[in-house]
Amino acid sequence: MAKFSSHNKNDYSPRISTKIYALRRDGLLDDARQLAEDYLQKNRTDIDVLKAYAWTLIDICKREQQKGNIVDARKISALLSRMHFETQFDEFAEMLVRKIQALRLMVNPFYAQIQEAKELSQKGNNDKAWGILTQLSVDGNLPEEAHESYGWAIYRYLRDHIELDSIQVRKQLKNYIYLHNERPSMLHSQILNFALNYSKQDGNFKLISFLKLWNPNNLRLDDFEDSRSNEGKTIPSLMSRIAKAIVDYPLDEIQEFVRLIPYRKDDFIEMIKNHFFWKLYHSTEDGVSSSTWELFNQYIELSNDTPASTSHSKVLGLAERTMKENNAWRFYDFFRGWNPEKLRTADWQEEKGDNGETYKPLAVKSLKRVKEALENLSDEQLGDLQWLIDLYGIAIEKIPDDDWNIRSKALLHLRAGQQAEAKDIYKKLCQKMGEKYYIWSEFADCWEDVDVKIAFLCKALSLEKNEDFIGKIRMELAQQLIKSKKYANAVVELDQYKKHYAEKGWRIDSEVDALLEQCSSVTPASDNNAALYAENISRAEEYAYEDISFTEVVLVDKWKNGNGKTMIVFVDGKAIEFATDKKRFPGLNDSHKGQVWKFKLYKDETIRTIPGDYPWQQPKKEAVIKYIPLTAIPSETADWFNLPIQYGYVQYINTEKKVYHIYLTDSTLVYEHYERKELEKGDFVKLRQYKKKVKEESKTFLCNIQKCAEDEAIEKFKCRIAAVDDVNNQRKLFHFVLGTKQASGILHYDQTDLRPSVGDCIKIHYFVKEISDKKNPGKQKKLVEVLRAELTDGSNSDLVKRFSGNLELKYKDRYDGEEPDFAFIGDYYVHKTILEKYNITSNCYVNAKAVYTGDGNWKVYEIEK
């Protein structure tokens, strides 16, 4: 007999539960029962024995039922019902419990009627089945094991009798609620689905109250998932439809129900918010009313503790479109309650229309609407502005090129009484947007010092000539001038204000006459404040630009733009290039080409996005730098002198077109037009150069070209030790090489006094030019042009080598007594002339010298046996 494990370490006898199952299989049910009961009297904690005992009792119960001993069968069923088994993670126990439940129903006195109802329902006669089960329930004879069947009967009865009145429906739903069927379950969700659909036709049926009775703890995960019809259409989930149905209930009832949901609460809240959006949207279709604003307030309260989401952003977008014009003031409180921390990444990106059009990001539009709201609210209504200041800080980080966000943040600092922070921003704005009059006017508000205020207001008025825009600035300047006891200047400003407003027929501020009364004792000597402006403009600029040092640049060009303005171009010869209107800075009227000026410059750097060539490629980022001139004064530096010095060689002169062809030290070929020929071919020159954009292409220009001594220029050109690899005395020239992947060149005897031999090294100063390759039409080849050549004791081991090895003779056609045609020493080629020169007629070991000839080839020019 097989041995079984036991609780005792060395006990190999079968376990009691095993003996019980063995007796049960052999049909000895009473013996199995007795063995189990005897053991359990001693040890009630052995769960395996208890399970074996339960299975034995189930078989005995069935046996007694079959014998007609129904009383005994019920006693055993009652005994089984008192047993408890933990079914979690135990499928065997779960199956046992189901068997006990089924057995309990089988021994019920009304089992036959219950079975009849079940069979009737399966055959489609649900009404009769429902009638049987209802009567059993009314009489108190419906066992709990039949509640599931009765629940389905109620559901089908309600589904099939849509003509039932409200009282009948409520009664059936009440009957269902009090059942003890399994929950959560498919049946329980179907009952809720029926109640949802019924609520649409019965205005007195309060769905949200039924939901509480139904108990949200009985929700299934499937109740949150959409499904698909046979036609492939999406069917919204049960909970989505519930959300749509309860969105019209009072807010406190919605919130109470939401608190009862045990899981996926955020998902359900998102469903509520989405349907609330459509409720809001429909309320605005025919124009807004007080109920619309109340709905927006309810939404804020509903979404207070909810996360960021698409629907939340959709509501913000709707508010931004709705709260405008006379209702713009509402957006401030709404946006703050909506909570800008819930702005998503997508909300900071441009929106795309159905036809590919682009719109500003939702976050940017919201900030603009908030700014509009600020203008209509008092400081008391606004409260602490720090939340909005911080939000503008985020906006500037995300969209750094939007100057209006930067300006708006500065204005907020001013309104919040944070002058120091506003000053820092306005300094940069005056540098970047210094041509805008309102920037200087707003900067004036940052200062308490009257004289400083006057300086900034004068600068603002000097920039704007349209009187329509500057009336308030003149008023403000007049007030500050009176404080500074400059009454005559104040009168000028006030008179200009009154004159323009009278011409326009506009209402003149009542304060004007009061201000004029304070100045009644003076008479202006002039009808303008030009002298006052001139004095104060430079002072304002000193404050704004004090952190910027001067940069020296050269005037290189003057031209007229499409508006007839004379534009002057300046460069520093390295990276800086900018153009400015000649009238912008007074001293420029008498300026001349080559003159050096000192400018304070603002470096404006923006990032440009360049789309990829193909849809799948990531866009590229490119920095675009623009230099904005702020102030200018002439420099004492001599003309052209701050541009870098360059040297060149006049390689050719086109006398017909009057153009010098000049090679620079880096082998760049440049062309310079001349009016009067002052240079000759072969001259060395010293010059200055700069780069300037011409039709978006950067081009190099030369200036201040002067002939110079060869010795001064030659050392600036390329210099290298080359090796002579061929000498042709007949043609009176020799060929040299510079190295691997380097160009080679030729020197004719009439160009140099040198008469080198193959293998000699020479030191050359040179440039490289490109010429047409006759062997490869359409292509260019590089050629070395030597400016100076001299013998040198130096050597170049990359070009001339000493080596040893076995020399092997080679023949094209081998005949006895024939001389060899060439040879190899390893990979080095030996020409026939070298063999003849050294009288080599057989293979031998040699010491040799070789020179590099280009394209990876070497040739031996000297041999020692």
Side-chain angles (χ1 to χ4, degrees), residues 722-727 733-739 742-748 751 762 764 766-769 782-786 853:
V724 176
D725 66 321
D726 193 23
V727 176
L733 57 82
F734 60 87
H735 187 271
F736 61 86
V737 289
L738 296 180
Q742 298 289 328
S744 59
I746 295 173
L747 267 176
H748 293 268
Q751 294 176 281
I762 59 175
I764 63 171
Y766 67 97
F767 63 87
V768 178
K769 67 178 184 179
K782 293 181 178 181
L783 187 66
V784 175
E785 284 280 321
V786 178
T853 60

PDB file of all heavy atoms in Angstrom, residues 722-727 733-739 742-748 751 762 764 766-769 782-786 853:
ATOM      1  N   ALA A 722      57.553  69.944 -48.445  1.00  0.00           N
ATOM      2  CA  ALA A 722      57.115  69.075 -49.534  1.00  0.00           C
ATOM      3  C   ALA A 722      58.288  68.241 -50.022  1.00  0.00           C
ATOM      4  O   ALA A 722      59.459  68.531 -49.736  1.00  0.00           O
ATOM      5  CB  ALA A 722      56.554  69.927 -50.669  1.00  0.00           C
ATOM      6  N   ALA A 723      57.973  67.201 -50.773  1.00  0.00           N
ATOM      7  CA  ALA A 723      59.019  66.324 -51.323  1.00  0.00           C
ATOM      8  C   ALA A 723      58.952  66.356 -52.841  1.00  0.00           C
ATOM      9  O   ALA A 723      57.858  66.291 -53.424  1.00  0.00           O
ATOM     10  CB  ALA A 723      58.843  64.910 -50.813  1.00  0.00           C
ATOM     11  N   VAL A 724      60.113  66.463 -53.472  1.00  0.00           N
ATOM     12  CA  VAL A 724      60.169  66.441 -54.931  1.00  0.00           C
ATOM     13  C   VAL A 724      60.096  64.989 -55.385  1.00  0.00           C
ATOM     14  O   VAL A 724      60.936  64.168 -55.002  1.00  0.00           O
ATOM     15  CB  VAL A 724      61.462  67.113 -55.439  1.00  0.00           C
ATOM     16  CG1 VAL A 724      61.564  67.002 -56.957  1.00  0.00           C
ATOM     17  CG2 VAL A 724      61.526  68.558 -54.987  1.00  0.00           C
ATOM     18  N   ASP A 725      59.101  64.681 -56.200  1.00  0.00           N
ATOM     19  CA  ASP A 725      58.939  63.287 -56.633  1.00  0.00           C
ATOM     20  C   ASP A 725      59.247  63.104 -58.116  1.00  0.00           C
ATOM     21  O   ASP A 725      59.253  61.977 -58.611  1.00  0.00           O
ATOM     22  CB  ASP A 725      57.511  62.796 -56.337  1.00  0.00           C
ATOM     23  CG  ASP A 725      56.466  63.525 -57.162  1.00  0.00           C
ATOM     24  OD1 ASP A 725      56.620  64.742 -57.358  1.00  0.00           O
ATOM     25  OD2 ASP A 725      55.492  62.884 -57.586  1.00  0.00           O
ATOM     26  N   ASP A 726      59.517  64.232 -58.830  1.00  0.00           N
ATOM     27  CA  ASP A 726      59.872  64.085 -60.235  1.00  0.00           C
ATOM     28  C   ASP A 726      60.551  65.369 -60.704  1.00  0.00           C
ATOM     29  O   ASP A 726      60.164  66.472 -60.294  1.00  0.00           O
ATOM     30  CB  ASP A 726      58.620  63.819 -61.084  1.00  0.00           C
ATOM     31  CG  ASP A 726      58.976  63.347 -62.487  1.00  0.00           C
ATOM     32  OD1 ASP A 726      60.090  62.812 -62.672  1.00  0.00           O
ATOM     33  OD2 ASP A 726      58.132  63.512 -63.392  1.00  0.00           O
ATOM     34  N   VAL A 727      61.560  65.217 -61.564  1.00  0.00           N
ATOM     35  CA  VAL A 727      62.272  66.359 -62.149  1.00  0.00           C
ATOM     36  C   VAL A 727      62.316  66.147 -63.657  1.00  0.00           C
ATOM     37  O   VAL A 727      62.687  65.074 -64.142  1.00  0.00           O
ATOM     38  CB  VAL A 727      63.704  66.485 -61.592  1.00  0.00           C
ATOM     39  CG1 VAL A 727      64.440  67.630 -62.294  1.00  0.00           C
ATOM     40  CG2 VAL A 727      63.673  66.714 -60.082  1.00  0.00           C
ATOM     41  N   LEU A 733      61.105  71.889 -65.283  1.00  0.00           N
ATOM     42  CA  LEU A 733      60.191  71.967 -64.142  1.00  0.00           C
ATOM     43  C   LEU A 733      60.424  70.783 -63.229  1.00  0.00           C
ATOM     44  O   LEU A 733      61.074  69.802 -63.603  1.00  0.00           O
ATOM     45  CB  LEU A 733      58.730  72.002 -64.607  1.00  0.00           C
ATOM     46  CG  LEU A 733      58.214  70.857 -65.493  1.00  0.00           C
ATOM     47  CD1 LEU A 733      57.818  69.633 -64.678  1.00  0.00           C
ATOM     48  CD2 LEU A 733      57.029  71.326 -66.311  1.00  0.00           C
ATOM     49  N   PHE A 734      59.910  70.877 -62.046  1.00  0.00           N
ATOM     50  CA  PHE A 734      59.902  69.715 -61.143  1.00  0.00           C
ATOM     51  C   PHE A 734      58.548  69.651 -60.437  1.00  0.00           C
ATOM     52  O   PHE A 734      57.850  70.659 -60.279  1.00  0.00           O
ATOM     53  CB  PHE A 734      61.069  69.748 -60.147  1.00  0.00           C
ATOM     54  CG  PHE A 734      61.100  70.952 -59.250  1.00  0.00           C
ATOM     55  CD1 PHE A 734      60.399  70.966 -58.036  1.00  0.00           C
ATOM     56  CD2 PHE A 734      61.859  72.081 -59.594  1.00  0.00           C
ATOM     57  CE1 PHE A 734      60.452  72.061 -57.207  1.00  0.00           C
ATOM     58  CE2 PHE A 734      61.910  73.178 -58.750  1.00  0.00           C
ATOM     59  CZ  PHE A 734      61.198  73.177 -57.548  1.00  0.00           C
ATOM     60  N   HIS A 735      58.174  68.437 -60.040  1.00  0.00           N
ATOM     61  CA  HIS A 735      56.876  68.169 -59.402  1.00  0.00           C
ATOM     62  C   HIS A 735      57.105  67.832 -57.930  1.00  0.00           C
ATOM     63  O   HIS A 735      58.083  67.171 -57.576  1.00  0.00           O
ATOM     64  CB  HIS A 735      56.191  66.996 -60.111  1.00  0.00           C
ATOM     65  CG  HIS A 735      54.784  66.741 -59.635  1.00  0.00           C
ATOM     66  ND1 HIS A 735      54.497  65.904 -58.580  1.00  0.00           N
ATOM     67  CD2 HIS A 735      53.602  67.224 -60.081  1.00  0.00           C
ATOM     68  CE1 HIS A 735      53.191  65.872 -58.398  1.00  0.00           C
ATOM     69  NE2 HIS A 735      52.617  66.668 -59.297  1.00  0.00           N
ATOM     70  N   PHE A 736      56.208  68.291 -57.075  1.00  0.00           N
ATOM     71  CA  PHE A 736      56.347  68.009 -55.643  1.00  0.00           C
ATOM     72  C   PHE A 736      55.004  67.565 -55.069  1.00  0.00           C
ATOM     73  O   PHE A 736      53.934  67.821 -55.650  1.00  0.00           O
ATOM     74  CB  PHE A 736      56.875  69.238 -54.882  1.00  0.00           C
ATOM     75  CG  PHE A 736      55.962  70.434 -54.987  1.00  0.00           C
ATOM     76  CD1 PHE A 736      54.898  70.612 -54.116  1.00  0.00           C
ATOM     77  CD2 PHE A 736      56.189  71.391 -55.987  1.00  0.00           C
ATOM     78  CE1 PHE A 736      54.074  71.711 -54.228  1.00  0.00           C
ATOM     79  CE2 PHE A 736      55.365  72.495 -56.096  1.00  0.00           C
ATOM     80  CZ  PHE A 736      54.292  72.660 -55.211  1.00  0.00           C
ATOM     81  N   VAL A 737      55.079  66.882 -53.952  1.00  0.00           N
ATOM     82  CA  VAL A 737      53.872  66.409 -53.265  1.00  0.00           C
ATOM     83  C   VAL A 737      53.883  66.914 -51.827  1.00  0.00           C
ATOM     84  O   VAL A 737      54.942  67.121 -51.234  1.00  0.00           O
ATOM     85  CB  VAL A 737      53.783  64.860 -53.275  1.00  0.00           C
ATOM     86  CG1 VAL A 737      53.486  64.349 -54.667  1.00  0.00           C
ATOM     87  CG2 VAL A 737      55.063  64.235 -52.729  1.00  0.00           C
ATOM     88  N   LEU A 738      52.642  67.095 -51.294  1.00  0.00           N
ATOM     89  CA  LEU A 738      52.499  67.597 -49.914  1.00  0.00           C
ATOM     90  C   LEU A 738      52.167  66.500 -48.914  1.00  0.00           C
ATOM     91  O   LEU A 738      52.418  66.639 -47.723  1.00  0.00           O
ATOM     92  CB  LEU A 738      51.407  68.668 -49.851  1.00  0.00           C
ATOM     93  CG  LEU A 738      51.677  69.949 -50.642  1.00  0.00           C
ATOM     94  CD1 LEU A 738      50.514  70.912 -50.484  1.00  0.00           C
ATOM     95  CD2 LEU A 738      52.954  70.611 -50.145  1.00  0.00           C
ATOM     96  N   GLY A 739      51.573  65.403 -49.396  1.00  0.00           N
ATOM     97  CA  GLY A 739      51.250  64.333 -48.468  1.00  0.00           C
ATOM     98  C   GLY A 739      49.978  63.603 -48.862  1.00  0.00           C
ATOM     99  O   GLY A 739      49.330  63.905 -49.877  1.00  0.00           O
ATOM    100  N   GLN A 742      46.592  65.182 -49.940  1.00  0.00           N
ATOM    101  CA  GLN A 742      46.919  66.589 -50.123  1.00  0.00           C
ATOM    102  C   GLN A 742      47.145  66.861 -51.613  1.00  0.00           C
ATOM    103  O   GLN A 742      47.440  65.955 -52.401  1.00  0.00           O
ATOM    104  CB  GLN A 742      48.203  66.939 -49.355  1.00  0.00           C
ATOM    105  CG  GLN A 742      48.114  66.758 -47.853  1.00  0.00           C
ATOM    106  CD  GLN A 742      47.227  67.798 -47.208  1.00  0.00           C
ATOM    107  OE1 GLN A 742      47.151  68.925 -47.670  1.00  0.00           O
ATOM    108  NE2 GLN A 742      46.563  67.419 -46.122  1.00  0.00           N
ATOM    109  N   ALA A 743      46.959  68.140 -51.983  1.00  0.00           N
ATOM    110  CA  ALA A 743      47.197  68.507 -53.367  1.00  0.00           C
ATOM    111  C   ALA A 743      48.703  68.459 -53.669  1.00  0.00           C
ATOM    112  O   ALA A 743      49.540  68.463 -52.768  1.00  0.00           O
ATOM    113  CB  ALA A 743      46.655  69.909 -53.636  1.00  0.00           C
ATOM    114  N   SER A 744      49.038  68.403 -54.953  1.00  0.00           N
ATOM    115  CA  SER A 744      50.441  68.437 -55.382  1.00  0.00           C
ATOM    116  C   SER A 744      50.638  69.649 -56.289  1.00  0.00           C
ATOM    117  O   SER A 744      49.683  70.358 -56.615  1.00  0.00           O
ATOM    118  CB  SER A 744      50.799  67.151 -56.127  1.00  0.00           C
ATOM    119  OG  SER A 744      49.962  67.000 -57.272  1.00  0.00           O
ATOM    120  N   GLY A 745      51.890  69.923 -56.709  1.00  0.00           N
ATOM    121  CA  GLY A 745      52.119  71.105 -57.518  1.00  0.00           C
ATOM    122  C   GLY A 745      53.349  70.983 -58.391  1.00  0.00           C
ATOM    123  O   GLY A 745      54.127  70.018 -58.303  1.00  0.00           O
ATOM    124  N   ILE A 746      53.524  72.006 -59.231  1.00  0.00           N
ATOM    125  CA  ILE A 746      54.656  72.064 -60.169  1.00  0.00           C
ATOM    126  C   ILE A 746      55.319  73.415 -60.030  1.00  0.00           C
ATOM    127  O   ILE A 746      54.654  74.448 -59.899  1.00  0.00           O
ATOM    128  CB  ILE A 746      54.177  71.861 -61.622  1.00  0.00           C
ATOM    129  CG1 ILE A 746      53.609  70.456 -61.816  1.00  0.00           C
ATOM    130  CG2 ILE A 746      55.310  72.125 -62.607  1.00  0.00           C
ATOM    131  CD1 ILE A 746      52.960  70.251 -63.175  1.00  0.00           C
ATOM    132  N   LEU A 747      56.641  73.408 -60.064  1.00  0.00           N
ATOM    133  CA  LEU A 747      57.399  74.650 -60.110  1.00  0.00           C
ATOM    134  C   LEU A 747      58.255  74.639 -61.371  1.00  0.00           C
ATOM    135  O   LEU A 747      59.039  73.695 -61.619  1.00  0.00           O
ATOM    136  CB  LEU A 747      58.285  74.797 -58.879  1.00  0.00           C
ATOM    137  CG  LEU A 747      57.692  75.559 -57.689  1.00  0.00           C
ATOM    138  CD1 LEU A 747      58.657  75.539 -56.521  1.00  0.00           C
ATOM    139  CD2 LEU A 747      57.360  76.992 -58.077  1.00  0.00           C
ATOM    140  N   HIS A 748      58.086  75.675 -62.187  1.00  0.00           N
ATOM    141  CA  HIS A 748      58.921  75.828 -63.389  1.00  0.00           C
ATOM    142  C   HIS A 748      60.218  76.508 -63.001  1.00  0.00           C
ATOM    143  O   HIS A 748      60.281  77.281 -62.034  1.00  0.00           O
ATOM    144  CB  HIS A 748      58.169  76.634 -64.445  1.00  0.00           C
ATOM    145  CG  HIS A 748      56.972  75.928 -65.002  1.00  0.00           C
ATOM    146  ND1 HIS A 748      57.022  75.144 -66.141  1.00  0.00           N
ATOM    147  CD2 HIS A 748      55.689  75.867 -64.569  1.00  0.00           C
ATOM    148  CE1 HIS A 748      55.836  74.655 -66.385  1.00  0.00           C
ATOM    149  NE2 HIS A 748      54.984  75.075 -65.438  1.00  0.00           N
ATOM    150  N   GLN A 751      60.302  80.143 -62.267  1.00  0.00           N
ATOM    151  CA  GLN A 751      59.639  80.629 -61.054  1.00  0.00           C
ATOM    152  C   GLN A 751      60.546  80.563 -59.838  1.00  0.00           C
ATOM    153  O   GLN A 751      60.211  81.125 -58.800  1.00  0.00           O
ATOM    154  CB  GLN A 751      58.369  79.792 -60.766  1.00  0.00           C
ATOM    155  CG  GLN A 751      57.268  79.929 -61.786  1.00  0.00           C
ATOM    156  CD  GLN A 751      56.115  78.998 -61.459  1.00  0.00           C
ATOM    157  OE1 GLN A 751      56.181  77.800 -61.738  1.00  0.00           O
ATOM    158  NE2 GLN A 751      55.077  79.547 -60.855  1.00  0.00           N
ATOM    159  N   ILE A 762      61.695  70.421 -49.853  1.00  0.00           N
ATOM    160  CA  ILE A 762      61.711  71.877 -49.955  1.00  0.00           C
ATOM    161  C   ILE A 762      60.634  72.450 -49.045  1.00  0.00           C
ATOM    162  O   ILE A 762      59.610  71.814 -48.791  1.00  0.00           O
ATOM    163  CB  ILE A 762      61.479  72.352 -51.407  1.00  0.00           C
ATOM    164  CG1 ILE A 762      60.117  71.843 -51.925  1.00  0.00           C
ATOM    165  CG2 ILE A 762      62.624  71.919 -52.310  1.00  0.00           C
ATOM    166  CD1 ILE A 762      59.766  72.380 -53.310  1.00  0.00           C
ATOM    167  N   ILE A 764      57.843  75.249 -48.609  1.00  0.00           N
ATOM    168  CA  ILE A 764      57.084  76.141 -49.489  1.00  0.00           C
ATOM    169  C   ILE A 764      56.014  76.892 -48.703  1.00  0.00           C
ATOM    170  O   ILE A 764      55.444  76.385 -47.723  1.00  0.00           O
ATOM    171  CB  ILE A 764      56.412  75.375 -50.653  1.00  0.00           C
ATOM    172  CG1 ILE A 764      55.384  74.357 -50.111  1.00  0.00           C
ATOM    173  CG2 ILE A 764      57.442  74.706 -51.542  1.00  0.00           C
ATOM    174  CD1 ILE A 764      54.540  73.724 -51.208  1.00  0.00           C
ATOM    175  N   TYR A 766      52.390  78.718 -49.638  1.00  0.00           N
ATOM    176  CA  TYR A 766      51.525  78.476 -50.789  1.00  0.00           C
ATOM    177  C   TYR A 766      50.056  78.755 -50.459  1.00  0.00           C
ATOM    178  O   TYR A 766      49.675  78.968 -49.316  1.00  0.00           O
ATOM    179  CB  TYR A 766      51.670  77.030 -51.252  1.00  0.00           C
ATOM    180  CG  TYR A 766      51.138  76.015 -50.251  1.00  0.00           C
ATOM    181  CD1 TYR A 766      49.851  75.481 -50.389  1.00  0.00           C
ATOM    182  CD2 TYR A 766      51.908  75.605 -49.170  1.00  0.00           C
ATOM    183  CE1 TYR A 766      49.364  74.564 -49.470  1.00  0.00           C
ATOM    184  CE2 TYR A 766      51.423  74.694 -48.237  1.00  0.00           C
ATOM    185  CZ  TYR A 766      50.147  74.180 -48.395  1.00  0.00           C
ATOM    186  OH  TYR A 766      49.647  73.284 -47.477  1.00  0.00           O
ATOM    187  N   PHE A 767      49.246  78.723 -51.492  1.00  0.00           N
ATOM    188  CA  PHE A 767      47.785  78.638 -51.349  1.00  0.00           C
ATOM    189  C   PHE A 767      47.301  77.591 -52.341  1.00  0.00           C
ATOM    190  O   PHE A 767      48.068  77.162 -53.233  1.00  0.00           O
ATOM    191  CB  PHE A 767      47.105  79.995 -51.567  1.00  0.00           C
ATOM    192  CG  PHE A 767      47.276  80.573 -52.948  1.00  0.00           C
ATOM    193  CD1 PHE A 767      46.401  80.245 -53.977  1.00  0.00           C
ATOM    194  CD2 PHE A 767      48.311  81.463 -53.220  1.00  0.00           C
ATOM    195  CE1 PHE A 767      46.558  80.779 -55.247  1.00  0.00           C
ATOM    196  CE2 PHE A 767      48.477  82.011 -54.483  1.00  0.00           C
ATOM    197  CZ  PHE A 767      47.601  81.662 -55.515  1.00  0.00           C
ATOM    198  N   VAL A 768      46.081  77.154 -52.182  1.00  0.00           N
ATOM    199  CA  VAL A 768      45.520  76.104 -53.050  1.00  0.00           C
ATOM    200  C   VAL A 768      44.382  76.711 -53.861  1.00  0.00           C
ATOM    201  O   VAL A 768      43.495  77.360 -53.304  1.00  0.00           O
ATOM    202  CB  VAL A 768      44.999  74.906 -52.223  1.00  0.00           C
ATOM    203  CG1 VAL A 768      44.384  73.863 -53.155  1.00  0.00           C
ATOM    204  CG2 VAL A 768      46.117  74.305 -51.400  1.00  0.00           C
ATOM    205  N   LYS A 769      44.428  76.499 -55.158  1.00  0.00           N
ATOM    206  CA  LYS A 769      43.330  76.983 -55.993  1.00  0.00           C
ATOM    207  C   LYS A 769      42.670  75.801 -56.690  1.00  0.00           C
ATOM    208  O   LYS A 769      43.269  74.725 -56.840  1.00  0.00           O
ATOM    209  CB  LYS A 769      43.826  78.004 -57.007  1.00  0.00           C
ATOM    210  CG  LYS A 769      44.747  77.451 -58.080  1.00  0.00           C
ATOM    211  CD  LYS A 769      45.142  78.553 -59.060  1.00  0.00           C
ATOM    212  CE  LYS A 769      45.988  77.996 -60.202  1.00  0.00           C
ATOM    213  NZ  LYS A 769      46.350  79.057 -61.179  1.00  0.00           N
ATOM    214  N   LYS A 782      42.278  70.378 -57.323  1.00  0.00           N
ATOM    215  CA  LYS A 782      43.051  71.334 -56.545  1.00  0.00           C
ATOM    216  C   LYS A 782      44.499  71.370 -57.027  1.00  0.00           C
ATOM    217  O   LYS A 782      45.085  70.335 -57.349  1.00  0.00           O
ATOM    218  CB  LYS A 782      43.004  70.973 -55.065  1.00  0.00           C
ATOM    219  CG  LYS A 782      41.617  71.136 -54.453  1.00  0.00           C
ATOM    220  CD  LYS A 782      41.614  70.803 -52.975  1.00  0.00           C
ATOM    221  CE  LYS A 782      40.221  71.027 -52.386  1.00  0.00           C
ATOM    222  NZ  LYS A 782      40.184  70.730 -50.929  1.00  0.00           N
ATOM    223  N   LEU A 783      45.039  72.599 -57.040  1.00  0.00           N
ATOM    224  CA  LEU A 783      46.400  72.792 -57.499  1.00  0.00           C
ATOM    225  C   LEU A 783      47.105  73.747 -56.545  1.00  0.00           C
ATOM    226  O   LEU A 783      46.543  74.774 -56.143  1.00  0.00           O
ATOM    227  CB  LEU A 783      46.405  73.364 -58.910  1.00  0.00           C
ATOM    228  CG  LEU A 783      47.767  73.460 -59.606  1.00  0.00           C
ATOM    229  CD1 LEU A 783      48.336  72.061 -59.857  1.00  0.00           C
ATOM    230  CD2 LEU A 783      47.632  74.213 -60.927  1.00  0.00           C
ATOM    231  N   VAL A 784      48.345  73.393 -56.190  1.00  0.00           N
ATOM    232  CA  VAL A 784      49.122  74.218 -55.259  1.00  0.00           C
ATOM    233  C   VAL A 784      49.826  75.332 -56.024  1.00  0.00           C
ATOM    234  O   VAL A 784      50.521  75.087 -57.018  1.00  0.00           O
ATOM    235  CB  VAL A 784      50.156  73.357 -54.508  1.00  0.00           C
ATOM    236  CG1 VAL A 784      51.041  74.241 -53.636  1.00  0.00           C
ATOM    237  CG2 VAL A 784      49.444  72.311 -53.650  1.00  0.00           C
ATOM    238  N   GLU A 785      49.617  76.570 -55.556  1.00  0.00           N
ATOM    239  CA  GLU A 785      50.319  77.727 -56.117  1.00  0.00           C
ATOM    240  C   GLU A 785      51.377  78.159 -55.102  1.00  0.00           C
ATOM    241  O   GLU A 785      51.052  78.558 -53.980  1.00  0.00           O
ATOM    242  CB  GLU A 785      49.345  78.871 -56.371  1.00  0.00           C
ATOM    243  CG  GLU A 785      48.485  78.695 -57.593  1.00  0.00           C
ATOM    244  CD  GLU A 785      49.221  79.062 -58.873  1.00  0.00           C
ATOM    245  OE1 GLU A 785      49.980  80.057 -58.859  1.00  0.00           O
ATOM    246  OE2 GLU A 785      49.059  78.335 -59.866  1.00  0.00           O
ATOM    247  N   VAL A 786      52.661  78.074 -55.504  1.00  0.00           N
ATOM    248  CA  VAL A 786      53.763  78.368 -54.589  1.00  0.00           C
ATOM    249  C   VAL A 786      54.077  79.860 -54.616  1.00  0.00           C
ATOM    250  O   VAL A 786      54.249  80.461 -55.691  1.00  0.00           O
ATOM    251  CB  VAL A 786      55.015  77.550 -54.957  1.00  0.00           C
ATOM    252  CG1 VAL A 786      56.162  77.903 -54.017  1.00  0.00           C
ATOM    253  CG2 VAL A 786      54.707  76.059 -54.895  1.00  0.00           C
ATOM    254  N   THR A 853      54.328  59.493 -54.239  1.00  0.00           N
ATOM    255  CA  THR A 853      53.944  60.130 -55.508  1.00  0.00           C
ATOM    256  C   THR A 853      52.459  60.455 -55.590  1.00  0.00           C
ATOM    257  O   THR A 853      51.988  60.921 -56.619  1.00  0.00           O
ATOM    258  CB  THR A 853      54.312  59.209 -56.690  1.00  0.00           C
ATOM    259  OG1 THR A 853      53.620  57.964 -56.547  1.00  0.00           O
ATOM    260  CG2 THR A 853      55.809  58.984 -56.744  1.00  0.00           C
TER     261      THR A 853
END
